[in-house]
Amino acid sequence: MRIKRRTFLKGSATAGGGLLASHFLSRQLETLVAQQSGSSPKEDWIPTTCWIGKQDCGMVARRIDGRVVNFYGHPDHPRNRGTLCPKGVAQIMALYDPNRVKTPLIRTNEKGIPGQWRQASWDEALTIVAQKIREVRERDPRLLVWQKGRSKAKPFYDEAFVKASGATKLTHGAFCSDAAYRASEYTIGLSGGLHPDFRYTQFVLAWGWNLTAAGGNRLCWITWPQQLIQAKERGMKLVAIDPRLRGAGHFADEWLPIRPATDLALALALCQQLIARDTIDRAYLSQYTNAPFLVGEDGFFLRHHGKELVWDMASNAPRPYDAPGIVPALEGEYLVDGRSAKPAFQLFREHVAQYTPEWAAEICGVPAEAIERLAQELGENARIGSTIVIDGIEVPYRPVAIMTYHVAQQELGFQAVRAMLLIMMLLGAIGAAGGQRIDLGPWKLHENFEKLDKIQIKDPPYNIYLKDSPYFPINSNSSAIVAKVMQNPDKYGVDYIPEVIIIHMCNPLAAFASTPDLFEGYKKFKFVVVIDAWLSTTADLFADVVLPAAVLEKYEGPAAASDQYLDATALRLPVMEPLFQSRGEIEIYLDLCEKAGILYGPGGYLDQVNKALHLSDEHRLPLDRKPTVREIFDRWAKSAGISEGVAYFEKYGVKVAGPIPPKKFYGYVTDPPFGGVRHRLYGESLLRYQRDMQQRGVDTSYWRDYTPFPTWRKPTMEESPPTYDLYLISYKLIEHKQSRSAQIPLLAELAPRAWLDINPRTARERGIQDGDEVWVESHNALTGETRRVRIVARYREGIRPDTVAIPHHFGEAVRHPWAAANGAAANSLFFTGEGYVANTSDQSFHVKVRVYK
Amino acid sequence: MARYAMVIDLDRCTGCRACMMACKVENNTPQANFWMYVFRFEEGHYPNTHIWFMPRPCMHCDNPPCAKVCPVGARYKRVDGLVATDWDRCIGCRYCEVACPYGVNYFNWKKPSKNYYLDWQAKDVQEVTGGAVPPYRNPDLDQPYGAERRRTAGGGRLKGVIEKCTFCVHRVERGQKPACVQNCPLFALHFGDLDDPNSTVSQLLRRKPSFRLLEELGTEPRVYYVGGHPPSSESHQIEEVRVRV
C-alpha cells in the first residue's frame, strides 16, 4: 500500500506554525515507501490504529515478508500527525511477546490464589462459557455481568453483546474521570471533562492536568501537547494548579501548588472574586443559563403552567423565562404571589460571599493574593462582550478555559468540577471562541442533560451498582461499590448476587482502587471468564476460563480520529494474522453467541450489531448467517457512505471528513445556541434528590453533597488522626497505560517500578534518604482501617511538603517476567465506600497517610 | 555535500522519551542501550522549582575525541558530518567510550541476540518471525553505507564491540530523518543541512539563541540546543532510567 498525503490537510488550520507544517510537508512516509530497499524481501505497509493508548492514534505498520518491524505514526491522522508516544512505538514488543496467553486456559486449582491452568481448545472453552451463560440467563439474566475496560473504539460489539445477552454492564469510568463527565452533562449538557479551544485561547488553568505525562480530557496525550505548544508559541499563558509540578513541567508560566482535595474551595473563591469584581457575562447568564430563574424560599423554582419564572425588569412582574421582549433580573428579591423569591444568580452571589480568597487560602494553601490575581487575570483575559469572526461567522470571544480531567476523582469531585464550570459560566466562556470546551467535535447535546435532571429514585431492590437508588441517584457505575454490595447485598437493598462475569480487557484487581474490597467482592462470582492478551491479576486470581485476545492482529473500530477541529474516523486493521491461538474480540463474540444461542434472529447479537452500528437497511447483516469480521466493517463503511467499504481504510487508514464548521463547533452559534438548553447554574434537581434521599433515611454522607450550588465541606479523610499527616495522590506516567503496559519490556525498562514522590524537607524530618525503602500507611477516617505498602522514596522538589504521590501502573498487574517485583500499587492504599466516593459513586484517589522507615 | 546537524528545541520537549523508543526499535539496540537518552531535570527548591527535559543523542562532533583515540579506524568522521562506527573493524578496546565526554558509547557486554529483553526462541514465535532476533529486526541495518560502503548502521551486532547513535545513517542516506526526529510528537527535534539556509535547522539557529553541550572542550558538536540552558550542578536528574543489565 502507498500512503499519500491527503489534500485536505492543506485546509487544516492546525497546519499553522512553520515548523509543524514543514515537518508535515516532508512527506516522510511517502518518501520512505518510495525508496524502499531494492533487496528481495517483500515490504508492505498496513495502516492501522494504536492498540495501547486511549486516543487511538493512527499508525502504519512496516512489514518485511509479513513480519511487522516497526510502527510509525500515520502522517494523515489528525490526532498524532505522523508521530507516536513511547507506548505506541514500544507495543511492537507486545505483539510478539511469548508470554501472552497463547491458548484458551481452564483453571485447575482453587480461586483467590495464583492460577494453575490447562490448555484447552477454543471449542471446549467457548462451550463451557456458553453453557454457563445459557444456564444463568434461564434462571435470571441479572446473574450475568459483563465488564470491559476503557473501550477501544466505538463500543458496538460490547453493546450488542450486552443487549443480546441481557447482562448487567460494568464500566471503568468511576476510576477514570466520570465525576467530571457527570458534572458537565448535568451542568452544560455535554459529555466530558474540560478542555480549552486551543486554537484561540489565551489563558488556561491546567487544573491537575498531567500535560507532559499522560492525560487530558477526552484524548490521551499527543494531540493536546501539540495544540498546547502551538498556543504557547503564540503567547498563551498557562497556570498549573496541582500539588505536583511534574505534570505541567516547564510549560507552566505559574505554579499554584494547591493542597489535594481542596479544588472546590479554590473554584468557589474564584467565583466569589469574579462576582465581586463584576467581571461576569450578564448577557450569557440571562439568556443561556437558569441564573435568572426565580427560586422560592423552599429552594425550588417558581413555575407557572410548568414554565420557570423570571423577574421581568421591563414590566416589573414575573414572566415565563422564554417570554419575548423581557429583561430578566439577575439580582434582587421579589414578591411573587405574596412569597419572596430571588433569581438563582442572586442566591449564588449570596452563597459564594463567604468564600473569600482569605478563606480559601487557609484551606488550599494557595496565597490569597494569588487567588485574587488569578481572578483578575481570568476576568481580563475573558474580554467579556467581545467577538471574533471565524470563517465568516461572528462568535463570542472569551479566550479563557480550564483543562481538567482525572482530578475529578475525589470525594467532592462532582461539585468541584461543577464549580469550575460555574467559573467559566460567569465569564461567558462556555462554547465561546477560545473558551471552554467539554466534548470533542461538534457541540452535541448529551441525553444525560435531561436524564440526570429527571432521575426517579426507586424503592428497593436495586441492581448491583445501585442504579436509581437513594445512595447514588447520579451514578457512575463503580466496580468498587459493586464489590461492597457483593459482600453485603442486604445492607444496600440488593436481593441477588450475580454469579457469572465476563471481564473483557479489564483488570479491576489492579487497575481499580481499593484492591482489598475488589478482592472480596470478585471472590463472590461463581464463574469468571477473562478475555485478555496477558494473564492479568484478575485472571490469575479468579478466572475459571481465560480466552486469549489478539492485540493488533484484529479488526476493531470505528474509532473517532478527531483532534477536536477535524472530523475524522479510522479503523484498527489486523497487521498480521493473530499470533499463537489468540483471536480478535468480535470473532470471539460471534462464536460465543452462536454457542449460547443468542447470535441469530431478531434481538440476537447480529441484530444488535446492526442497531449499534446504525447500519442502513441495504447494508444490514442478515440475521441467519455468521459474517466475517471484515464483512461487518465493510457494511459499516458502506453504510456510512464510503463506497469502497473497508478497502478504503485498508488503503488509507483514516477518513478525514474535514474541518468542523464554526456553526457546529461553538455552542453560542449553533442552531439553536447550545442545543436550545439553559445551562444549570442552579441545580434544582440536586436539591430534589437530596430531599428524597433524606426521606428515605440514607446516611448523611450520601445526600450532603446533593446541593443546588457547589458547597464546600471538609473531605472525610481530614478526620483521620493527626499522625496521618500527609496526603497521598496518584498519577499516570507517559511510559505506561493503566495496567496494560507494565509487562512491555521496552517500557518497563524506561519506568521499571513504582516509587514515592516526597519533598526532601518532609523526608529529612523523618530520617528518610533519597532512595530509601519506606512504609506508606493509609488510614480510613470512618472505619479506622489501615493499609500499607513498602516503596522506594524519591526526593522531589516539585511536590508540596504535605503531599506524597505514587504513579499507577505497578504492582504486578500481570504475571510476566518484566512485571515481577515492580513495586507497590497505589490502588491498594485507597479506600472506597462512605467518605471515599463522590456523591456520584465516583472513586476518590485521595487518602491521608503516614510515611515511615 | 550536506553538513548534517541536529537542533533540539528545549521549549518544545515534554520529556516523553518517545525518541528513545523510536531509536531503540528502529536501530534494534539491545537491552540497556540508549543511543538517545532524555534527561528529566529538577532545579531549585520548593516552591521555586523548575522542571525541564533534555534529549541527548551522540553529538557527532566535528572534532570527535572518540575518533582520535580509535586505534583501528573503526570510529571515523564522515564528510557529511556523521560520526560512524564500523563494527566490522571495532576491536572492543573501549578507548572511544573513555574519550567521549558525553557518555554516548555503549559496549556490548553480552551477546546481543541474548540481550533483547525476552527469549525469542520459542517455536511459536519463530514460526511468525522466521527466527529474527529481535522479532522486529530491521533489514535496512544490514546494508553497507557511505561512499566507503562500510557497515555502520544499527545496533546489536556482536559481543565485544562498541555501538552508538548513527544519526540513523540508513535513513539519512534514503533522504529521511533520523527515527527520533521523525517520531518526536512535539516536533522538538530537527535534522538537516547547515549549508542549506532554508533548512529547518538553519532557520531555527538564526531565530533562536543556541548552545552546545560542553562547548568549552572544543569538541564542536553537531547537536545544537535552542530554547533553554545547559544543565549545571543545580540540575538534579529525576525519573532516571535504571536499566537491568
Side-chain angles (χ1 to χ4, degrees):
Chain A
M1 145 223 129
R2 190 178 156 81
I3 295 286
K4 284 201 171 158
R5 190 176 169 282
R6 314 278 299 150
T7 46
F8 47 68
L9 282 168
K10 287 178 187 155
S12 138
T14 35
L19 289 177
L20 182 60
S22 76
H23 181 96
F24 233 157
L25 291 164
S26 62
R27 306 185 183 195
Q28 292 162 69
L29 269 171
E30 197 169 346
T31 319
L32 202 152
V33 177
Q35 301 189 10
Q36 51 187 260
S37 61
S39 53
S40 56
K42 180 175 173 289
E43 178 179 37
D44 58 1
W45 297 76
I46 310 290
T48 188
T49 294
C50 173
W51 171 81
I52 204 164
K54 155 179 151 183
Q55 68 172 41
D56 296 324
C57 288
M59 310 197 297
V60 188
R62 181 188 182 207
R63 300 201 310 187
I64 303 294
D65 293 335
R67 173 176 60 96
V68 179
V69 300
N70 215 332
F71 294 116
Y72 297 95
H74 192 308
D76 293 341
H77 199 289
R79 287 192 177 167
N80 56 309
R81 304 183 174 270
T83 70
L84 291 173
C85 79
K87 302 178 283 284
V89 181
Q91 69 191 315
I92 191 150
M93 210 169 237
L95 187 62
Y96 297 106
D97 186 350
N99 299 287
R100 277 171 56 173
V101 180
K102 292 177 178 171
T103 69
L105 299 174
I106 293 173
R107 190 178 205 93
T108 58
N109 65 340
E110 61 180 300
K111 298 211 261 187
I113 57 172
Q116 289 168 12
W117 312 93
R118 74 172 172 84
Q119 298 189 339
S121 69
W122 273 100
D123 185 57
E124 183 192 1
L126 287 178
T127 304
I128 293 171
V129 177
Q131 267 170 2
K132 288 282 175 191
I133 292 174
R134 276 176 191 269
E135 189 198 313
V136 292
R137 284 186 75 232
E138 272 165 30
R139 271 190 288 141
D140 181 351
R142 293 185 307 168
L143 301 179
L144 178 64
V145 177
W146 186 86
Q147 174 161 38
K148 190 170 172 186
R150 199 197 67 76
S151 209
K152 305 297 295 176
K154 183 178 167 68
F156 79 89
Y157 64 85
D158 321 25
E159 224 169 275
F161 180 76
V162 167
K163 290 209 168 130
S165 68
T168 303
K169 180 179 170 185
L170 299 184
T171 55
H172 76 294
F175 303 90
C176 179
S177 58
D178 265 19
Y181 277 59
R182 297 299 93 78
S184 301
E185 288 157 6
Y186 181 80
T187 307
I188 307 297
L190 268 73
S191 192
L194 278 62
H195 69 260
D197 172 18
F198 271 120
R199 206 178 267 178
Y200 295 104
T201 198
Q202 289 293 349
F203 189 78
V204 167
L205 305 184
W207 207 317
W209 178 24
N210 199 8
L211 85 89
T212 64
N217 177 38
R218 280 283 185 195
L219 299 172
C220 103
W221 186 67
I222 290 181
T223 316
W224 291 138
Q226 283 184 352
Q227 293 183 9
L228 167 104
I229 283 179
Q230 281 193 272
K232 287 278 293 184
E233 286 180 347
R234 60 162 176 74
M236 183 200 80
K237 183 175 175 184
L238 189 87
V239 178
I241 302 173
D242 198 321
R244 276 174 83 239
L245 177 61
R246 173 66 182 84
H250 59 88
F251 297 98
D253 294 292
E254 185 177 353
W255 176 36
L256 298 179
I258 188 173
R259 181 172 288 129
T262 65
D263 308 282
L264 173 56
L266 178 61
L268 288 167
L270 289 172
C271 288
Q272 184 271 347
Q273 278 292 294
L274 291 177
I275 294 173
R277 291 163 184 274
D278 203 28
T279 42
I280 54 174
D281 190 336
R282 288 169 188 275
Y284 159 81
L285 289 169
S286 303
Q287 208 175 341
Y288 298 120
T289 78
N290 65 15
F293 290 10
L294 289 169
V295 181
E297 281 170 328
D298 60 356
F300 293 97
F301 291 139
L302 302 189
R303 292 186 172 84
H304 186 67
H305 295 305
K307 273 247 164 91
E308 290 79 1
L309 299 177
V310 298
W311 190 264
D312 176 25
M313 293 191 289
S315 59
N316 228 0
R319 304 283 305 277
Y321 73 89
D322 57 354
I326 56 169
V327 184
L330 286 173
E331 280 141 319
E333 183 172 4
Y334 306 95
L335 273 179
V336 180
D337 297 338
R339 290 182 307 157
S340 164
K342 293 176 181 175
F345 180 78
Q346 172 68 32
L347 288 175
F348 186 58
R349 176 175 205 131
E350 293 168 12
H351 175 70
V352 297
Q354 59 187 308
Y355 301 129
T356 61
E358 292 72 24
W359 168 86
E362 187 85 6
I363 292 168
C364 306
V366 174
E369 310 82 71
I371 298 172
E372 285 170 23
R373 187 164 34 78
L374 197 55
Q376 187 186 340
E377 286 189 80
L378 278 169
E380 284 169 3
N381 279 290
R383 305 179 197 207
I384 293 166
S386 66
T387 60
I388 57 169
V389 176
I390 301 172
D391 295 346
I393 306 287
E394 190 175 5
V395 185
Y397 179 53
R398 307 280 181 279
V400 292
I402 294 172
M403 172 70 99
T404 204
Y405 195 55
H406 290 297
V407 73
Q409 296 309 118
Q410 51 174 293
E411 193 190 358
L412 293 158
F414 172 79
Q415 291 288 21
V417 177
R418 230 175 94 65
M420 293 179 199
L421 285 164
L422 297 192
I423 295 170
M424 288 299 143
M425 287 169 68
L426 291 175
L427 295 166
I430 306 283
Q436 190 62 56
R437 296 198 58 81
I438 292 163
D439 203 349
L440 280 182
W443 195 268
K444 196 172 131 214
L445 211 55
H446 192 274
E447 59 178 11
N448 272 357
F449 185 73
E450 278 311 303
K451 277 188 172 173
L452 298 183
D453 191 50
K454 300 212 160 28
I455 294 165
Q456 293 298 323
I457 297 173
K458 293 183 179 139
D459 296 331
Y462 305 112
N463 81 356
I464 47 162
Y465 62 87
L466 305 175
K467 189 171 187 293
D468 298 328
S469 74
Y471 299 100
F472 306 106
I474 297 177
N475 191 318
S476 290
N477 185 331
S478 160
S479 298
I481 295 298
V482 169
K484 283 258 180 200
V485 170
M486 295 276 285
Q487 293 173 71
N488 195 352
D490 292 346
K491 180 181 163 190
Y492 297 96
V494 176
D495 64 348
Y496 69 106
I497 296 182
E499 294 180 12
V500 175
I501 184 166
I502 299 172
I503 301 175
H504 180 143
M505 289 306 298
C506 185
N507 191 5
L509 270 88
F512 294 172
S514 199
T515 316
D517 285 305
L518 290 155
F519 184 92
E520 292 305 319
Y522 278 64
K523 207 158 84 176
K524 305 272 180 198
F525 286 106
K526 288 182 182 161
F527 189 79
V528 177
V529 184
V530 171
I531 302 174
D532 206 324
W534 283 270
L535 198 62
S536 66
T537 301
T538 307
D540 204 14
L541 292 173
F542 291 123
D544 293 273
V545 175
V546 184
L547 302 175
V551 288
L552 280 144
E553 325 95 278
K554 65 186 175 197
Y555 289 95
E556 221 173 4
S562 172
D563 65 346
Q564 91 160 318
Y565 298 111
L566 288 170
D567 186 12
T569 311
L571 289 184
R572 179 169 299 108
L573 298 170
V575 294
M576 52 204 291
E577 285 295 306
L579 269 83
F580 318 117
Q581 288 182 41
S582 71
R583 299 174 70 185
E585 280 91 337
I586 303 170
E587 222 184 327
I588 296 175
Y589 284 111
L590 287 170
D591 284 0
L592 181 61
C593 289
E594 186 176 36
K595 281 182 186 291
I598 50 173
L599 180 65
Y600 304 112
Y605 185 77
L606 296 172
D607 192 23
Q608 299 295 355
V609 167
N610 283 335
K611 287 179 184 147
L613 282 175
H614 305 292
L615 297 185
S616 61
D617 285 345
E618 57 176 321
H619 296 295
R620 280 170 173 266
L621 297 160
L623 302 185
D624 56 354
R625 174 177 68 77
K626 190 160 65 174
T628 64
V629 180
R630 188 180 182 280
E631 181 189 344
I632 295 175
F633 285 106
D634 196 49
R635 287 171 178 271
W636 161 76
K638 286 174 177 157
S639 174
I642 301 163
S643 55
E644 303 96 311
V646 74
Y648 180 91
F649 291 91
E650 286 162 349
K651 198 169 174 191
Y652 300 113
V654 57
K655 172 87 180 166
V656 180
I660 301 164
K663 274 187 112 25
K664 294 202 163 167
F665 190 76
Y666 293 107
Y668 268 105
V669 293
T670 57
D671 186 21
F674 301 111
V677 300
R678 291 265 180 164
H679 299 157
R680 292 191 183 111
L681 179 82
Y682 190 78
E684 186 199 32
S685 40
L686 299 179
L687 181 66
R688 184 159 52 77
Y689 304 149
Q690 184 187 68
R691 297 276 159 84
D692 197 348
M693 293 160 85
Q694 286 169 327
Q695 275 171 16
R696 289 167 184 267
V698 295
D699 188 81
T700 315
S701 69
Y702 291 101
W703 56 256
R704 63 183 157 179
D705 297 323
Y706 277 91
T707 50
F709 292 128
T711 305
W712 172 254
R713 68 172 170 85
K714 243 192 216 178
T716 305
M717 66 174 172
E718 295 289 7
E719 305 303 321
S720 282
T723 44
Y724 295 89
D725 56 348
L726 299 170
Y727 298 91
L728 173 70
I729 58 172
S730 60
Y731 59 94
K732 310 276 170 61
L733 300 170
I734 187 66
E735 291 89 350
H736 290 297
K737 191 74 197 171
Q738 280 101 17
S739 64
R740 212 177 254 258
S741 63
Q743 77 286 0
I744 296 176
L746 286 167
L747 297 172
E749 187 177 37
L750 291 188
R753 58 187 302 210
W755 70 85
L756 178 80
D757 292 327
I758 189 167
N759 188 290
R761 201 172 86 202
T762 312
R764 287 191 196 105
E765 282 166 12
R766 289 159 175 76
I768 295 165
Q769 296 298 310
D770 190 17
D772 278 357
E773 274 208 354
V774 296
W775 287 107
V776 180
E777 181 180 291
S778 62
H779 180 269
N780 184 319
L782 294 180
T783 65
E785 186 189 345
T786 61
R787 297 173 177 175
R788 67 175 192 168
V789 300
R790 193 87 175 138
I791 192 167
V792 172
R794 298 307 310 267
Y795 281 14
R796 297 287 188 261
E797 292 286 354
I799 190 166
R800 282 178 64 91
D802 63 0
T803 304
V804 291
I806 299 179
H808 280 284
H809 322 292
F810 301 104
E812 303 193 35
V814 291
R815 210 206 271 186
H816 192 284
W818 276 83
N822 65 3
N827 278 333
S828 59
L829 289 169
F830 296 115
F831 296 97
T832 195
E834 288 92 341
Y836 296 87
V837 287
N839 56 334
T840 48
S841 88
D842 279 285
Q843 176 65 37
S844 163
F845 288 87
H846 289 135
V847 69
K848 294 297 291 276
V849 297
R850 66 191 183 108
V851 175
Y852 54 96
K853 276 179 88 168
Chain B
M1 179 57 72
R3 203 156 61 92
Y4 289 121
M6 187 180 285
V7 177
I8 298 177
D9 187 345
L10 298 176
D11 279 342
R12 282 187 156 253
C13 180
T14 65
C16 75
R17 293 179 169 161
C19 50
M20 290 171 68
M21 278 293 103
C23 171
K24 286 202 72 75
V25 175
E26 176 75 30
N27 286 297
N28 298 165
T29 59
Q31 192 170 323
N33 288 14
F34 295 100
W35 293 359
M36 170 60 105
Y37 188 83
V38 178
F39 289 91
R40 295 171 177 169
F41 289 125
E42 218 179 51
E43 290 168 1
H45 295 288
Y46 176 88
N48 300 309
T49 317
H50 177 62
I51 288 175
W52 64 289
F53 314 103
M54 192 190 81
R56 187 240 52 201
C58 168
M59 299 292 132
H60 291 268
C61 305
D62 276 350
N63 186 17
C66 59
K68 282 190 204 162
V69 298
C70 181
V72 291
R75 176 66 54 84
Y76 65 104
K77 179 86 178 167
R78 297 184 4 156
V79 284
D80 58 3
L82 274 56
V83 173
T85 314
D86 179 342
W87 53 268
D88 277 330
R89 241 190 234 201
C90 176
I91 57 168
C93 69
R94 302 176 63 201
Y95 283 11
C96 54
E97 191 181 342
V98 176
C100 171
Y102 303 104
V104 302
N105 290 282
Y106 287 84
F107 185 69
N108 280 343
W109 289 96
K110 290 184 178 175
K111 192 174 172 185
S113 61
K114 302 274 188 218
N115 197 25
Y116 278 112
Y117 303 88
L118 289 167
D119 179 6
W120 304 109
Q121 305 302 323
K123 194 167 151 283
D124 40 10
V125 177
Q126 291 219 4
E127 276 169 13
V128 180
T129 62
V133 176
Y136 47 86
R137 187 90 214 155
N138 180 358
D140 300 347
L141 305 177
D142 300 330
Q143 311 290 325
Y145 289 97
E148 57 286 354
R149 309 308 289 163
R150 287 163 75 169
R151 293 203 286 177
T152 53
R157 296 301 173 177
L158 297 169
K159 182 174 170 178
V161 302
I162 284 276
E163 297 173 337
K164 69 154 191 75
C165 162
T166 69
F167 262 175
C168 281
V169 60
H170 61 288
R171 294 174 57 89
V172 170
E173 289 199 10
R174 284 176 169 80
Q176 300 157 0
K177 294 175 185 171
C180 55
V181 175
Q182 149 127 4
N183 187 60
C184 177
L186 280 312
F187 313 117
L189 305 178
H190 303 275
F191 184 83
D193 183 0
L194 289 177
D195 286 341
D196 172 5
N198 296 320
S199 68
T200 314
V201 289
S202 300
Q203 288 181 37
L204 264 171
L205 289 175
R206 277 201 304 274
R207 220 176 62 203
K208 287 178 138 184
S210 64
F211 68 88
R212 295 179 290 176
L213 291 178
L214 303 176
E215 212 155 350
E216 64 278 13
L217 298 180
T219 49
E220 298 292 329
R222 282 280 181 96
V223 176
Y224 294 80
Y225 293 88
V226 297
H229 59 278
S232 69
S233 56
E234 300 298 305
S235 314
H236 173 67
Q237 197 189 163
I238 59 168
E239 298 169 21
E240 60 276 53
V241 168
R242 269 190 275 161
V243 294
R244 305 192 213 181
V245 183

